[in-house]
Amino acid sequence: MEDTTTSNSLIQEIEPRFGASRDDPPDDLIARNNKRKAVQFKTSHALLISFFLWIFALHALGIFFFTKGFLLTRLVLDHKSECTSPPIEVPRPSPGSYNAGCWYPKTFDSAVIIIIDALRYDFTIPSNDTTHHFHNALKVLHETAVQQPERAFLLPFIADPPTATLQRLKGLTTGTLPTFIDVGSNFGGTAIEEDNLIAQLRVAGKTLVHLGDDTWHSLFPGHFDANLTHAYDSFNVWDLHTVDDGVTEHLLPLLQSEAGKWDIIFGHYLGVDHAGHRYGPDHIATNDKLKQMDRVIRDIITALDDETLLVVMGDHGMDTKGDHGGESDDEVEAALWMYSKKAVFGHGHNELMEPPRTAKERPVGQIDLVPTLALLLGLPIPFNNLGSPISEAFVGPKQPDWEKLASVNALSAGQIQRYQHAYSAARGLSRDVFLVAHTLWAIAMDMWRGALQNTASSAEVFEAFVRYQAENLRVCRSLWARFDVPSMIYGIFLLGCALAILSCYARATTPFRAEDSPLFLPQIMIYAAFGLALGFSIGLISSSPGILDTSLLGAAGGSIVGFVYTNLEIPSGYPLPFPNSTFGWLSVLLTVLQAIGFASNSFTIWEDDILLLFLATFAVMSLATSIRQQAAENRTLGIIQSSFFLVLTRIASLSRLCREEQMPYCRSTYYSSATSSTSASWQLLIPFTLAILLPGFIKGYYKGTRSYAGSAILWIGVGLRMSLLASAIYWILDAADDNDWLNISENTLRLAKTTIAQLVLGVSLVAGTTYYGWATPCISIGLPDGQDNGDATPNQGTKPKNMGVFGYSNMHGSRYFLLVTNWLIAVILLQKPMGGGSIGLLALQILALLEIIDSNDLARSAIGPVVLAMLGNFHFFKTGHQATLSSIQWETAFIALKTIRYPWSPLLVTLNAYGAQIITAVAVPLVVLWKQPPKKKGLLGDVAMAVATFLLYFAAINLATTMWAGWLRRHLMLYRIFSPRFMTGAAALLVVDLIGIFVAIGGFRSNIISVSEVFGWA
């Protein structure tokens, strides 16, 4: 297609738009016709938006119903344990009062409980390996446990996943297993209402003090003494010192001079966790924080009195990059240390005096802390507890006190039996569910009665109750791993229907036009209303699944029936969504193979390499097709761009962040090392390289169609380059902050960084969007190449007979790409330097893909949107992400902000996590707009088809990961592999839905209006 047109009438038509004047008034008929077409376009566009919003609603409802049935639930009982009502009689009865001990004589009057967030067990064990910064920094725990075994013990403290702080605090205070949804009569807030240690301490009249992580206050509002408590923001992972310094500042005076004002102190330190998130565990900053904790604990020991228990523990660990949230060994293996100045602890039950060398030896569960603390402090064990007393705390300092061990385990087992009975009654469970547990309980009770009559050994009784508690815990784990299968089926059905509708709308043999949307929408709305009414009525007369669920299902099902009914009424019959070309079948094959592959855990683990293979396959096929092109220009362009696309894909693959399951066959390059969360020094060159080269490459593509004119010169030549340069400066300052390169205060550096980040985001998303909305087409007017101005007489000012409009052939594409650059700037800023480089390569791959599509005449093929979608998922992995919770880069929330601010902080994290998919979603209209003249007819329908195809790929991937997660719900790797991939796919689908609707289709509206104001409406 020619890049220049030379019609004088065209020049006369567009000159007024660029400031020239016309001698003749506009033709009234043309003006009226343009106005009518403008109204028609805007109406069709609004209806198209409505149609895709309906698709989004189906996706959201499908994900909601599946998630509702898939995420595990348990019934929260409102029962409370009472001081005067022990579950079983013991040989050493307590008076049943809080002063002496409720169910068993108490050992301590007060306690200092220190939580060192993310304290991994191996951080506390001495090592001869001096290559890791986290070794041999926190020495006091192991040192005291070895030198004073009757006063201290150190054990691996195993967390139940998910290893998030909020879920861990629930387990540490209630003794229950974590589930994703806790269902109870007062469900709806984050506060813990079920029986727990904090509530029991309050009932006992204890004065509670909290210092540190403010998560405690959302879980236990109003429980802590307001005058002595000091809470701090817990989410600013860039701040290593404020929380820790604040806790220490208030903790030591409470121990030294204000001892009578409190009974229990909870101190929650965050510095180790934040150092891990920011730098990784193997960094000098983590070493410094561990050494600080060592000094703090030694100071606490000095200030402690004989009647106060000191507990130090981690709520979870951290992986090799300093993250957590999953279930890898490094994430679940925390540490527990208890200390007392009076000799009450021991190891006689197993004669193993020293702490375990690894977390695989003699571990205790975190839920075991609850009955242990309750009995040591003379409290009732919380009603819902499933943990067992930690033996080292009760066995005694000399010979094993088997009677005491048997007694505390009998009390704990009795409370568990009490809870089991109440839970079975509330759930209507048959006795067979706990059949083995009931048998073990009967055996243990027979032995207990024998011990009371001196006919059975207390050691054997202890072992019997331990076996019962272990079996009961096993049953409860399996019991709560129950899924609401009907709800999961509803969700899969809705997602499947949405997929079928998108398939027909996007890839039918005779494609629907955008103008066909009004045919569907009235029937969809009418039938949705009928379905809503029917669902509401069913909900009124049925107790399950509830009014809300039946109403939503009715509305969704009714709208689907309306769509099907409308299509059955089409006289010409219903077109089928089958491809009719090689590349069409290739797009189907790549999508289906990936969807099927998610049934394999190995495929899911190595998804990044699979996508590399698929993209390389497309590049090779397009290269082969280009070689066979008849036109020399198309052949040359296709070969060059296909080769360029292949090379860029291979270069992008060099950036990767390995997940645990890929080791040792994978080497991470995204950060400076596999155990770091910071960039290598050489990686800081990447943002500057982008600022220098990327605008030049984009300019080259524009010059290929003579489109580097008008709005493009200012935005690409100046705005894009300066914004990328500012982003590069930001990451230099960030590295300087991390490594103390500059003799500038941390607050000053942070202010400079956030100011730069806010300016860049403001320029890209606010100023850039405004500029795009008002931008003129990227064209210029002048003499065509090789033509002089011989027909013009300077004295008379006569215009030449033939003037050229440069950039005419790419009018739509060159202007629309300006919108893509806006999002490029924002996403590059929010990625680490290696991720920014990956996004820069993505931008070039998009441009190469557009040229491949043009040279091979693939604008209406499904391959363009499908390859764009695969590029989005491919660069998701190349920007330091994996389908795991621990790979979420939470620190992104603080790139432009000092503290957590809603909704901006979650939006920044979303832009970081799904930046690649967002950019490809914004770029989808370019598949049909690139190198299209201004008056091309049917562009709205073509764009709708391209966007629908793009969403179709993500819908297929989401449906596949959803179905496989549901089918493999009993698989050993469900929560490590299949469940995170389902959640990643669901979130990606919803994000690209919204971006496709409001940014891509919305941005296309501005593009069409701008071009049509100059050249008239097609």
Side-chain angles (χ1 to χ4, degrees):
M1 185 176 291
E2 295 294 330
D3 300 324
T4 308
T5 186
T6 57
S7 169
N8 272 345
S9 61
L10 180 60
I11 299 297
Q12 292 171 3
E13 181 180 352
I14 67 173
E15 274 183 342
R17 181 70 176 85
F18 286 90
S21 62
R22 261 199 257 175
D23 297 328
D24 300 324
D27 184 271
D28 291 340
L29 180 60
I30 295 177
R32 286 198 300 271
N33 189 43
N34 279 334
K35 185 176 181 180
R36 177 184 59 81
K37 289 182 177 180
V39 172
Q40 182 181 8
F41 168 80
K42 292 176 182 178
T43 303
S44 297
H45 183 273
L47 292 170
L48 186 65
I49 292 285
S50 302
F51 175 79
F52 278 106
L53 283 174
W54 172 57
I55 296 295
F56 168 75
L58 290 180
H59 286 157
L61 286 174
I63 292 169
F64 166 75
F65 278 106
F66 181 84
T67 304
K68 182 171 173 287
F70 180 70
L71 298 185
L72 305 182
T73 64
R74 69 179 176 91
L75 178 66
V76 175
L77 301 181
D78 293 332
H79 301 63
K80 311 290 183 185
S81 293
E82 297 180 359
C83 184
T84 57
S85 179
I88 196 172
E89 294 297 330
V90 295
R92 305 181 197 177
S94 174
S97 68
Y98 289 110
N99 289 331
C102 289
W103 295 355
Y104 200 78
K106 69 179 181 180
T107 308
F108 299 99
D109 295 323
S110 56
V112 177
I113 301 172
I114 302 298
I115 299 93
I116 300 178
D117 211 287
L119 180 63
R120 208 167 71 191
Y121 183 70
D122 60 336
F123 292 177
T124 68
I125 301 300
S127 173
N128 295 326
D129 181 4
T130 59
T131 60
H132 296 299
H133 289 288
F134 53 78
H135 281 151
N136 305 317
L138 179 54
K139 300 179 180 180
V140 63
L141 307 185
H142 188 272
E143 179 184 296
T144 52
V146 171
Q147 295 176 359
Q148 306 175 59
E150 73 286 355
R151 291 184 171 86
F153 64 85
L154 173 64
L155 293 173
F157 198 40
I158 307 303
D160 290 293
T163 48
T165 294
L166 186 142
Q167 289 284 353
R168 291 294 77 246
L169 292 183
K170 286 185 176 181
L172 287 168
T173 55
T174 63
T176 58
L177 297 174
T179 54
F180 287 95
I181 303 174
D182 293 340
V183 181
S185 58
N186 44 22
F187 177 69
T190 59
I192 297 178
E193 300 291 345
E194 64 181 303
D195 201 8
N196 61 80
L197 271 177
I198 310 300
Q200 288 290 350
L201 287 167
R202 285 274 293 178
V203 172
K206 303 292 186 180
T207 300
L208 310 182
V209 176
H210 168 258
L211 306 170
D213 185 347
D214 60 357
T215 305
W216 289 79
H217 290 265
S218 62
L219 297 176
F220 307 104
H223 285 64
F224 302 105
D225 185 281
N227 296 322
L228 301 177
T229 291
H230 300 274
Y232 299 88
D233 180 16
S234 61
F235 287 104
N236 189 354
V237 296
W238 292 65
D239 185 351
L240 309 186
H241 307 296
T242 300
V243 177
D244 289 4
D245 292 346
V247 173
T248 304
E249 176 188 355
H250 298 288
L251 174 61
L252 294 179
L254 285 173
L255 295 174
Q256 294 165 350
S257 59
E258 303 180 53
K261 297 182 179 180
W262 56 270
D263 295 299
I264 309 292
I265 297 177
F266 295 91
H268 196 148
Y269 287 89
L270 294 174
V272 173
D273 178 70
H274 288 186
H277 282 299
R278 184 171 177 179
Y279 303 105
D282 196 11
H283 191 275
I284 189 62
T286 305
N287 180 275
D288 290 342
K289 295 309 298 184
L290 290 171
K291 287 181 176 178
Q292 180 188 10
M293 294 299 97
D294 187 86
R295 293 191 298 270
V296 167
I297 294 169
R298 292 181 190 276
D299 290 341
I300 295 174
I301 292 174
T302 301
L304 209 65
D305 63 39
D306 291 347
E307 297 302 319
T308 300
L309 170 68
L310 175 59
V311 181
V312 176
M313 60 182 165
D315 56 342
H316 50 75
M318 63 173 73
D319 65 15
T320 55
K321 303 182 307 300
D323 298 319
H324 56 89
E327 57 178 339
S328 69
D329 288 346
D330 283 344
E331 292 171 273
V332 303
E333 292 173 352
L336 171 68
W337 177 79
M338 287 191 179
Y339 175 85
S340 167
K341 286 196 171 180
K342 56 184 179 181
V344 293
F345 301 140
H347 304 268
H349 63 297
N350 55 30
E351 298 182 353
L352 298 172
M353 305 302 291
E354 291 197 2
R357 296 297 304 171
T358 71
K360 301 295 186 293
E361 305 171 37
R362 294 151 46 203
V364 296
Q366 290 195 348
I367 58 175
D368 296 340
L369 180 69
V370 172
T372 302
L373 287 182
L375 294 174
L376 288 175
L377 295 172
L379 302 172
I381 298 174
F383 190 86
N384 295 335
N385 166 72
L386 294 173
S388 305
I390 298 171
S391 298
E392 282 80 356
F394 300 97
V395 68
K398 297 178 181 179
Q399 293 298 319
D401 190 340
W402 294 112
E403 181 181 324
K404 187 174 184 179
L405 280 176
S407 297
V408 295
N409 278 275
L411 288 169
S412 176
Q415 179 53 46
I416 290 173
Q417 173 69 8
R418 193 185 261 176
Y419 168 74
Q420 179 199 102
H421 178 75
Y423 191 87
S424 298
R427 279 292 197 192
L429 301 177
S430 83
R431 182 177 175 82
D432 293 340
V433 173
F434 289 96
L435 182 60
V436 176
H438 285 314
T439 302
L440 291 175
W441 171 254
I443 294 173
M445 286 303 296
D446 285 343
M447 296 180 68
W448 175 248
R449 285 188 284 269
L452 293 179
Q453 299 171 5
N454 297 320
T455 61
S457 164
S458 294
E460 294 176 348
V461 174
F462 161 68
E463 295 292 345
F465 280 121
V466 167
R467 285 193 296 271
Y468 164 74
Q469 292 174 96
E471 170 62 18
N472 192 83
L473 182 60
R474 184 196 65 79
V475 173
C476 287
R477 288 186 190 276
S478 63
L479 184 66
W480 290 339
R482 293 195 174 185
F483 303 87
D484 185 353
V485 176
S487 182
M488 294 165 62
I489 293 174
Y490 299 150
I492 291 173
F493 171 77
L494 292 179
L495 291 173
C497 288
L499 181 73
I501 292 168
L502 272 177
S503 299
C504 295
Y505 188 85
R507 307 312 313 171
T509 308
T510 305
F512 297 119
R513 300 173 301 159
E515 290 77 10
D516 291 328
S517 296
L519 297 175
F520 305 122
L521 292 176
Q523 294 294 335
I524 289 173
M525 295 178 65
I526 292 171
Y527 277 83
F530 277 118
L532 177 65
L534 178 62
F536 183 80
S537 302
I538 293 174
L540 289 176
I541 61 176
S542 173
S543 59
S544 178
I547 294 178
L548 176 62
D549 288 358
T550 56
S551 299
L552 292 175
L553 283 171
S559 66
I560 294 169
V561 171
F563 178 86
V564 173
Y565 175 78
T566 303
N567 282 280
L568 292 176
E569 294 295 308
I570 296 177
S572 59
Y574 196 71
L576 298 176
F578 293 126
N580 53 13
S581 67
T582 301
F583 277 103
W585 281 109
L586 177 64
S587 63
V588 173
L589 180 64
L590 295 178
T591 304
V592 171
L593 284 178
Q594 194 172 1
I596 294 174
F598 285 120
S600 164
N601 57 345
S602 298
F603 182 99
T604 306
I605 290 169
W606 293 98
E607 184 183 356
D608 51 349
D609 282 352
I610 301 297
L611 287 168
L612 172 63
L613 173 64
F614 285 178
L615 290 171
T617 301
F618 162 75
V620 171
M621 284 197 63
S622 66
L623 178 62
T625 306
S626 299
I627 292 174
R628 297 165 54 191
Q629 290 292 321
Q630 296 298 319
E633 181 181 355
N634 286 341
R635 183 169 60 252
T636 302
L637 184 63
I639 291 173
I640 292 173
Q641 296 301 328
S642 297
S643 303
F644 189 44
F645 184 92
L646 183 59
V647 171
L648 290 172
T649 303
R650 187 57 189 165
I651 294 174
S653 70
L654 299 178
S655 170
R656 70 184 308 169
L657 178 70
C658 304
R659 57 187 294 163
E660 182 188 12
E661 296 84 1
Q662 292 177 329
M663 305 304 290
Y665 308 106
C666 176
R667 189 173 72 89
S668 293
T669 59
Y670 190 76
Y671 296 111
S672 59
S673 71
T675 58
S676 174
S677 293
T678 58
S679 299
S681 298
W682 69 265
Q683 292 174 336
L684 298 175
L685 296 174
I686 295 175
F688 287 98
T689 305
L690 275 183
I692 295 170
L693 298 181
L694 185 58
F697 273 102
I698 296 174
K699 178 181 177 181
Y701 278 95
Y702 270 67
K703 283 193 170 183
T705 56
R706 312 291 289 274
S707 301
Y708 193 67
S711 306
I713 295 177
L714 177 61
W715 190 246
I716 295 174
V718 180
L720 175 61
R721 192 181 300 278
M722 292 298 102
S723 297
L724 292 177
L725 181 60
S727 297
I729 294 172
Y730 172 89
W731 287 108
I732 285 289
L733 292 177
D734 181 72
D737 188 14
D738 289 344
N739 298 285
D740 295 327
W741 289 344
L742 302 175
N743 189 21
I744 301 175
S745 71
E746 185 175 340
N747 289 335
T748 303
L749 271 177
R750 188 175 302 171
L751 177 62
K753 289 194 303 179
T754 54
T755 301
I756 291 173
Q758 289 171 2
L759 285 174
V760 172
L761 291 175
V763 167
S764 61
L765 298 181
V766 180
T769 302
T770 304
Y771 184 79
Y772 173 78
W774 290 94
T776 58
C778 302
I779 59 174
S780 60
I781 301 172
L783 288 172
D785 294 339
Q787 179 177 311
D788 59 26
N789 202 15
D791 294 329
T793 304
N795 293 336
Q796 296 177 350
T798 307
K799 291 185 176 67
K801 291 181 180 179
N802 290 305
M803 294 286 285
V805 180
F806 299 107
Y808 181 85
S809 66
N810 196 20
M811 187 82 63
H812 289 289
S814 60
R815 186 188 183 280
Y816 184 87
F817 192 80
L818 299 179
L819 181 62
V820 178
T821 61
N822 294 344
W823 290 86
L824 269 176
I825 293 169
V827 172
I828 287 175
L829 169 72
L830 297 175
Q831 305 295 333
K832 296 290 178 70
M834 200 73 169
S838 171
I839 296 298
L841 293 175
L842 171 61
L844 297 181
Q845 285 180 286
I846 291 172
L847 289 167
L849 175 64
L850 298 177
E851 295 291 354
I852 294 170
I853 290 171
D854 174 68
S855 62
N856 289 277
D857 194 22
L858 298 173
R860 294 185 66 84
S861 171
I863 195 65
V866 168
V867 171
L868 267 180
M870 286 196 298
L871 279 173
N873 280 350
F874 177 67
H875 284 275
F876 168 81
F877 295 104
K878 301 302 111 181
T879 52
H881 299 96
Q882 285 283 352
T884 58
L885 293 176
S886 60
S887 71
I888 299 174
Q889 298 171 22
W890 298 108
E891 66 271 19
T892 307
F894 302 97
I895 286 180
L897 300 169
K898 293 182 180 179
T899 59
I900 293 290
R901 295 176 61 182
Y902 295 96
W904 310 116
S905 297
L907 288 177
L908 292 177
V909 175
T910 302
L911 274 173
N912 168 271
Y914 296 103
Q917 289 98 327
I918 288 171
I919 288 174
T920 53
V922 176
V924 172
L926 286 168
V927 171
V928 296
L929 295 180
W930 195 252
K931 292 190 176 180
Q932 295 296 340
K935 287 196 173 184
K936 172 74 182 299
K937 292 184 180 295
L939 278 180
L940 181 59
D942 291 343
V943 168
M945 185 173 70
V947 172
T949 305
F950 180 83
L951 299 182
L952 179 62
Y953 171 87
F954 281 97
I957 297 302
N958 176 63
L959 178 61
T961 55
T962 301
M963 292 177 63
W964 292 127
W967 181 258
L968 300 170
R969 61 188 181 275
R970 299 294 181 187
H971 195 282
L972 179 65
M973 292 293 180
L974 175 65
Y975 292 111
R976 179 170 289 198
I977 295 175
F978 298 109
S979 178
R981 187 59 186 89
F982 149 67
M983 291 187 283
T984 301
L989 176 61
L990 297 180
V991 168
V992 298
D993 271 347
L994 293 174
I995 295 295
I997 294 168
F998 293 109
V999 181
I1001 299 177
F1004 170 72
R1005 180 181 187 273
S1006 172
N1007 207 70
I1008 285 289
I1009 292 174
S1010 175
V1011 173
S1012 299
E1013 285 178 350
V1014 178
F1015 291 93
W1017 291 85

